[in-house]
């Protein structure tokens, strides 16, 4: 079975021919992956059969290049991501440019000291060493030295200073090195009259209050969390009410994998992801007897779980020493913000913004320079498939097998990330968020400037989405104007497909299938159910779902029942109105005539080919979800109901025009017939998903006949749906297609910026030739 190993080699390993050596060795052992120099030493990822990796590691240590001196080799196993080749990073020798490490969870050595009553750092919440601790979130500039981090205000005591200057010490040049004598401290602050004042042991006090059902705002690595007992329904419900977050799932944190197994199923690969140094939130299937409050993730079979990643977290979860308090099964650890705003990072800011949300504050005085949310990932068929690439991953680049010009790609509107390119590196930013308010936009602009400074990138072109009203697009246009940069607009779904190609190392044309909610089309309409013949430079639209009205625009996105009306009337005409459907009761009085008027006049009712909206329509039509409280909710809840062991499909019609058009009318009729026959919603959901998968295979076959292309790239937010993704891959592979999917960057709009960058690069180099 294939595995991925991340290997960090320390010692004298740079400037001694180590990377070519690793490259040759990896090729000899038939392994995919990459090698690069970093501030930690040489970092390698190899993927392949376990025995081959063992052989590789054996030879690596037995016969290194003569000038090299290996001090330490650290290996962690991860689920594979499907590297297509082995890539060497050779081009950056001698430049002042360095890679900056993401934040790394506390290492085993530091954890041992944290738990050792005889160690001077026993129970010290900011323990770290060269191998672990904060990095990206405390760095204000390069070179990475203490004066250029937020640790600059803490003068090291003689003992820490001694460690820092001793080449034999584990804390040699550990920039955030600190101890209880000289370093940062945790403090507890009660919020107004809500709690006790000035207790002596801040973390124990927070633990006691959490156990009693309080909501505590906890300062972390990349921002504040809001914490409460995840088994306390009332506490979780209160947090939801205060945060104005109705249904969107909360993440939880538990002490270790063993504890997580008490409420979720954890496969081997999932345990590897949980325990990896990046410590992402991992989506896990909840057990039937799960004692976590259902309010944590309403309507969802999965829970996002992470393990502690800072020493403070370990103390908070009771993982250190004796205590009169029993450790919690799990704490909710959701981002410290009011819905939709960026996560709070400063103490003052937290007091201002979070005092209406939290009863108490667990603070510390090490400043956070860069905001960085938790990452979210999952295991799909034994491989990692990331959903939000942020803390622990960013700012490590996505490595590409082509040389890129220096480009700024501005990303999309929702789940925004941006991307800066240089050499073979694509520096994809941490998760910025939904660009719908001033605070997020401000955070976006300062992050771009920070990345440019850190990685010494001076873009000569700027790539952006074609949607004229996206804040990121307006920013791009202004910046290009101001600095005289080349402007490269990139169609939304082309960027999705290019992103999937790029991370898979594919440059030849593919049939790109991009299914999502909203993307601005080249014809000014709202696309989202697209089949494109694409390479990096250009695309041709091969097929799309039939256009239907989006009655009321944004209002129809928030109210999926409007999409159900739109699809129903488009498919069945007036007779649909006679059907006795649960749908009609979802509409407000007088809304049906309004929706019909919007549809017939076309006023505030743009046409869309969106597949995401079709999922919304079916979800509302079968009575699962008529109004959404977060993006994708209707589709997610429909997916959660899809029953196992259902293999049949509904009908559809493929109109063989150019481009081809998929008419879902027969599908709609099938769903209505099933509803009237009283068929179980789980069966209808499964049949619907199966139909979309079958449509993809059907259209791709027709596209292959026309184009001769047999490789398909699946991208867009709809492919985060694992039922759909699994069935689609199976259907395509049965037909002999090679299928590319996302592993390293999100299939959702969080991956758009990478696609924009590679498209812009191809267009620029094409023009010069
Ligand atoms: Zn450490
Ligand atoms: Zn000290």
């Amino acid at each position: 079975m294939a595995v991925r190993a991340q290997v960090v080699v320390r010692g004298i390993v740079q400037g001694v021919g180590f990377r070519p050596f690793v490259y040759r060795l990896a090729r000899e052992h038939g392994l995919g992956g990459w090698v690069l120099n970093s501030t930690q030493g040489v970092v390698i990822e190899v993927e392949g059969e376990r025995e081959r990796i063992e052989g590789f590691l054996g030879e690596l240590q037995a016969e290194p290049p003569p000038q090299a001196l290996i001090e330490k080799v650290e290996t962690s196993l991860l689920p594979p991501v499907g590297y297509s080749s082995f890539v060497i990073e050779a081009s950056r020798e001698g430049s002042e440019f360095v890679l900056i490490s993401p934040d790394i969870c506390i290492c085993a050595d530091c954890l041992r000291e944290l738990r050792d009553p005889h160690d001077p750092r026993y129970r010290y919440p900011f323990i770290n060493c060269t191998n672990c601790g904060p990095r990206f979130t405390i760095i204000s500039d390069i070179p990475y030295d203490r004066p250029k981090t937020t640790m600059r205000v803490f003068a090291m005591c003689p003992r820490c200073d001694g460690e820092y200057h001793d080449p034999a010490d584990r804390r040699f040049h550990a920039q955030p090195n600190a101890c209880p004598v000289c370093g940062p401290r945790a403090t507890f602050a009660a919020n107004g009259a809500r709690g006790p004042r000035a207790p002596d042991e801040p973390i124990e006090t927070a633990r006691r209050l959490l156990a009693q059902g309080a909501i505590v705002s906890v300062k972390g690595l990349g921002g504040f969390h809001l914490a409460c007992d995840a088994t306390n329904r009332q506490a979780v419900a209160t947090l939801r009410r205060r945060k104005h977050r109705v249904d969107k799932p909360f993440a939880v944190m538990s002490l270790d994998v063993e504890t997580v197994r008490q409420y979720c199923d954890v496969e081997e690969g999932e345990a590897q992801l949980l325990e990896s140094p990046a410590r992402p939130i991992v989506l896990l299937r909840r057990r039937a007897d799960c004692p976590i409050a259902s309010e944590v993730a309403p309507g969802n079979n999965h829970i996002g779980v992470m393990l502690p990643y800072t020493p403070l977290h370990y103390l908070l979860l009771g993982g250190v020493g004796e205590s009169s308090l029993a450790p919690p099964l799990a704490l909710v650890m959701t981002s410290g913000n009011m819905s939709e705003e960026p996560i709070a990072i400063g103490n003052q800011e937290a007091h201002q913004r979070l005092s209406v949300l939290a009863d108490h504050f667990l603070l510390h005085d090490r400043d956070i320079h860069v905001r960085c949310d938790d990452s979210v990932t999952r295991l799909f068929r034994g491989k990692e498939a990331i959903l939000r690439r942020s803390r622990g991953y960013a700012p490590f680049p996505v490595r590409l097998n082509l040389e890129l010009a220096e480009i700024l790609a501005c990303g999309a509107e929702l789940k925004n990330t941006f991307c800066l390119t240089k050499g073979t590196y694509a520096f994809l930013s941490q998760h910025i968020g939904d660009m719908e308010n001033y605070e997020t936009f401000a955070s976006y602009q300062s992050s771009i400037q920070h990345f440019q400074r850190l990685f010494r990138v001076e873009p000569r072109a700027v790539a952006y989405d074609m949607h004229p009203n996206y804040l990121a697009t307006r920013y791009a246009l202004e910046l290009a104007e101001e600095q005289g940069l080349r402007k490269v607009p990139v169609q939304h779904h082309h960027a999705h497909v290019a992103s999937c190609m790029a991370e898979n190392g594919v440059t030849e044309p593919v049939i790109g299938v991009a299914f999502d909610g909203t993307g601005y089309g080249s014809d000014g309409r709202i696309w989202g159910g697209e089949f494109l013949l694409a390479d990096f430079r250009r695309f041709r639209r091969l097929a799309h779902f039939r256009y239907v009205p989006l009655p009321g625009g944004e209002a129809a996105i928030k109210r999926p029942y409007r999409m159900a009306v739109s699809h129903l009337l488009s498919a069945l005409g007036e007779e649909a109105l006679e059907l006795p459907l649960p749908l009609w009761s979802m509409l407000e009085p007088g809304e049906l005539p309004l929706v019909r008027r919007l549809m017939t006049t076309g006023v505030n009712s743009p046409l869309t080919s969106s597949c995401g909206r079709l999922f919304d329509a079916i979800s509302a039509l079968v009575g699962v979800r008529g109004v959404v409280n977060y993006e994708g909710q209707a589709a997610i809840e429909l997916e959660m109901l899809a029953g196992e062991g259902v293999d049949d499909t509904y009908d559809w019609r493929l109109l063989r025009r150019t481009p081809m058009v998929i008419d879902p009318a027969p599908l709609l009729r099938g769903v209505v017939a099933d509803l009237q026959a009283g068929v179980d919603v789980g069966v209808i959901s499964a049949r619907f998903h199966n139909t979309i998968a079958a449509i993809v295979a059907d259209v791709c076959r027709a596209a292959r006949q026309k184009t001769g292309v047999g490789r398909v790239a699946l991208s867009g937010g709809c492919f985060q749906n694992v039922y759909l993704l699994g069935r689609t891959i199976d259907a395509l592979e049965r037909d002999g297609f090679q299928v590319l999917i996302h592993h390293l960057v999100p299939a959702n709009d969080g991956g758009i910026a990478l696609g924009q960058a590679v498209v812009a690069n191809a267009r620029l180099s094409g023009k010069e030739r």
Side-chain angles (χ1 to χ4, degrees):
M1 206 189 82
V3 291
R4 173 168 53 125
Q6 192 177 77
V7 188
V8 180
V9 188
R10 295 173 208 282
I12 304 171
V13 288
Q14 298 183 357
V16 291
F18 205 81
R19 286 169 304 165
F21 157 71
V22 170
Y23 176 77
R24 192 170 38 74
L25 207 57
R27 299 278 288 232
E28 277 171 22
H29 288 270
L31 301 170
W34 47 263
V35 54
L36 57 80
N37 277 337
S38 86
T39 45
Q40 294 173 276
V42 168
V43 184
I44 307 166
E45 278 198 18
V46 278
E47 182 174 313
E49 300 297 318
R50 195 181 280 260
E51 302 78 60
R52 290 181 178 214
I53 290 182
E54 279 162 10
F56 167 83
L57 288 171
E59 275 188 57
L60 181 89
Q61 292 170 82
E63 296 165 41
Q67 300 306 314
L69 180 69
I70 297 180
E71 285 171 354
K72 199 170 184 186
V73 178
E74 289 164 318
T75 307
S76 44
L77 284 184
L78 293 164
V81 289
Y83 288 124
S84 54
S85 60
F86 197 89
V87 189
I88 188 168
E89 304 300 348
S91 55
R92 307 256 70 87
E93 221 65 88
S95 75
E96 57 172 333
F97 161 89
V98 289
L99 291 174
I100 288 166
S101 168
D103 303 282
I104 304 166
C105 79
I106 181 171
C107 73
D109 291 333
C110 286
L111 193 55
R112 207 171 301 119
E113 291 173 351
L114 184 74
R115 287 170 165 162
D116 177 3
H118 304 294
D119 192 278
R121 291 187 178 87
Y122 175 56
R123 295 186 62 88
Y124 179 56
F126 306 96
I127 191 168
N128 68 82
C129 73
T130 333
N131 304 328
C132 73
R135 298 284 187 272
F136 174 54
T137 52
I138 60 166
I139 295 174
S140 54
D141 203 352
I142 55 166
Y144 173 47
D145 274 330
R146 192 161 172 120
K148 289 181 176 167
T149 71
T150 60
M151 285 299 291
R152 75 177 81 87
V153 297
F154 301 97
M156 278 185 278
C157 70
R159 210 200 42 236
C160 285
D161 194 62
E163 293 167 338
Y164 183 88
H165 289 105
D166 177 4
D169 196 279
R170 198 172 93 246
R171 298 196 161 91
F172 178 59
H173 284 187
Q175 306 304 346
N177 188 24
C179 79
V181 176
C182 64
R185 282 158 211 267
T187 48
F188 180 90
N191 183 6
R194 274 186 188 147
R197 304 188 63 80
D200 16 67
E201 226 298 349
I203 297 174
E204 284 301 300
T205 306
R207 289 191 62 204
R208 183 163 44 78
L209 291 162
L210 283 166
Q212 291 167 4
I215 294 167
V216 180
S217 180
V218 181
K219 188 174 182 180
L221 211 49
F224 277 77
H225 281 120
L226 291 162
C228 72
D229 179 354
T231 60
N232 183 330
R233 296 186 62 170
Q234 212 188 335
V236 181
T238 304
L239 178 55
R240 284 210 174 276
R241 202 175 53 245
R242 289 191 194 159
K243 207 169 140 72
H244 298 293
R245 181 148 150 171
V246 186
D247 291 314
K248 196 174 177 184
F250 287 150
V252 303
M253 181 182 279
S254 288
L255 184 59
D256 50 27
V257 171
E258 205 180 312
T259 310
V260 177
R261 288 207 161 104
Q262 292 176 38
Y263 59 91
C264 280
D265 296 325
V266 186
E267 280 181 41
E268 182 52 34
E270 290 167 335
Q272 287 169 356
L273 289 174
L274 283 168
E275 289 176 331
S276 69
R279 291 286 155 100
I281 295 167
V282 184
L283 295 191
L284 301 171
R285 182 163 284 270
R286 70 158 80 211
R287 289 169 47 143
D289 57 350
C290 177
I292 301 289
S294 58
E295 287 81 359
V296 165
N300 206 311
N301 308 337
H302 294 91
I303 300 181
V305 184
M306 61 185 148
L307 299 187
Y309 50 90
T310 69
L312 190 146
H313 291 151
Y314 274 97
L315 293 164
L316 192 63
L317 284 151
V320 183
E322 298 287 312
S323 168
S324 54
L325 291 162
L329 180 70
L331 293 178
V332 165
M333 288 289 260
T334 186
S335 51
N337 55 5
M338 194 62 94
S339 261
E340 318 307 332
E341 287 177 1
I343 186 168
I345 57 174
N347 290 357
Q348 273 296 104
E349 182 196 4
H351 274 300
Q352 281 163 12
R353 288 175 49 202
L354 306 182
S355 55
V356 292
L357 305 176
D359 301 317
H360 314 284
F361 289 88
L362 182 56
L363 302 164
H364 61 70
D365 53 357
R366 186 180 67 204
D367 285 346
I368 298 169
H369 186 75
V370 175
R371 180 178 281 119
C372 199
D373 289 73
D374 295 316
S375 294
V376 184
T377 193
R378 70 157 21 124
L379 195 72
F380 175 75
R381 296 191 170 176
K383 290 187 180 183
E384 179 172 7
I386 202 156
L387 299 165
R388 184 207 279 168
R389 189 181 180 279
S390 200
R391 179 189 49 76
Y393 294 79
F396 243 36
V398 176
R399 284 146 291 263
L400 304 176
N401 61 356
L402 66 158
E403 281 276 331
L404 296 159
E406 298 194 8
I407 293 165
L408 167 65
C410 290
E413 179 92 338
L414 298 178
K415 299 184 170 71
N416 178 281
T417 62
F418 60 85
C419 183
L420 282 161
T421 54
K422 182 170 181 133
T424 55
Y425 295 120
F427 294 100
L428 197 59
S429 76
Q430 78 274 32
H431 171 76
I432 303 291
D434 296 349
M435 298 259 275
E436 290 175 326
N437 55 60
Y438 174 77
E439 290 76 13
T440 309
F441 185 51
S443 169
Y444 170 77
Q445 295 179 71
S446 63
S447 295
I448 289 178
Q449 284 158 13
H450 190 52
F451 261 65
Q452 280 190 229
R453 190 167 56 239
L454 287 184
F455 301 113
R456 304 290 193 254
V457 179
E458 282 176 31
R460 61 189 182 94
V462 55
Y464 53 91
D465 195 277
M466 291 166 70
H467 199 302
N469 295 329
Y470 280 1
L471 277 179
T473 298
R474 288 198 235 159
Y475 171 82
L477 293 173
E478 278 170 28
L479 188 79
E481 220 44 63
E482 206 176 280
Q483 302 186 2
L485 308 176
R486 297 270 286 273
K487 290 182 264 191
V488 189
V490 181
Q491 200 278 326
H492 191 88
H493 303 94
H494 186 204
H496 268 307
V497 172
S499 156
C500 185
M501 292 167 64
E503 75 153 271
N504 283 287
V506 167
T507 50
E508 303 82 38
V510 300
I511 300 169
V513 183
F515 285 179
D516 66 1
T518 302
Y520 195 82
S522 319
D523 58 0
R525 288 174 176 165
I526 299 173
W527 292 11
E530 310 306 313
F531 293 76
L532 312 177
L533 175 65
D535 60 17
F536 285 154
R537 284 184 66 189
R538 61 175 86 83
F539 75 92
R540 182 155 59 84
R541 201 179 189 199
L542 294 169
H544 62 87
F545 277 90
R546 193 180 129 175
Y547 284 124
V548 296
L550 187 67
E554 195 61 27
I557 297 174
K558 300 234 160 77
R559 301 176 195 179
Y561 63 73
R562 285 199 177 188
M563 280 319 295
V565 174
S566 176
H567 266 291
L568 211 51
L569 286 171
S570 303
L572 281 72
E574 297 287 304
E575 68 175 271
L577 299 168
E578 308 301 320
L579 297 165
L581 294 170
L583 169 68
W584 307 122
S585 65
M586 291 177 174
L587 281 91
E588 285 167 17
E591 198 176 357
L592 184 59
L594 168 71
V595 169
R596 293 183 64 196
R597 195 161 59 243
L598 289 169
M599 287 178 66
T600 45
T601 59
V603 175
N604 191 20
S605 198
L607 290 175
T608 184
S609 57
S610 167
C611 184
R613 295 289 91 82
L614 179 58
F615 271 81
D616 283 357
I618 301 299
S619 186
L621 181 58
V622 301
V624 170
R625 169 85 21 206
V627 178
V628 293
N629 298 307
Y630 64 91
E631 196 209 1
Q633 184 179 11
I636 288 169
E637 292 181 4
L638 186 66
E639 176 196 357
M640 292 301 140
L641 293 171
E644 295 296 321
V646 180
D647 293 316
D648 51 345
T649 65
Y650 297 112
D651 291 332
W652 67 91
R653 218 152 57 98
L654 184 58
L655 310 174
R656 291 179 186 260
R657 313 169 178 153
T658 305
M660 294 179 279
V661 173
I662 305 141
D663 179 8
L667 187 169
L668 267 293
R669 278 195 289 273
V671 173
V672 167
D674 271 357
L675 274 177
Q676 288 178 312
V679 174
D680 180 72
V681 173
V683 174
I684 300 181
S685 170
R687 283 180 180 156
F688 167 67
H689 281 83
N690 297 344
T691 309
I692 302 298
I695 288 173
V696 173
D698 190 26
V699 175
C700 286
R701 275 192 303 272
R704 181 170 54 191
Q705 271 180 4
K706 284 189 177 179
T707 64
V709 174
R711 193 186 267 151
V712 178
L714 305 177
S715 189
C718 293
F719 287 110
Q720 295 173 99
N721 177 327
V722 290
Y723 187 103
L724 176 68
L725 181 62
R727 295 276 170 151
T728 305
I729 293 172
D730 292 345
L732 285 167
E733 288 183 345
R734 268 197 303 275
D735 277 326
F737 285 99
Q738 190 203 339
V739 185
L740 310 175
I741 65 168
H742 285 280
H743 296 288
L744 301 171
V745 304
N748 61 47
D749 284 4
I752 282 270
L754 174 63
Q756 291 174 341
V758 291
V759 169
N761 182 70
R763 296 232 176 105
L764 292 175
S765 51
K767 272 181 192 155
E768 276 162 12
R769 253 180 232 134

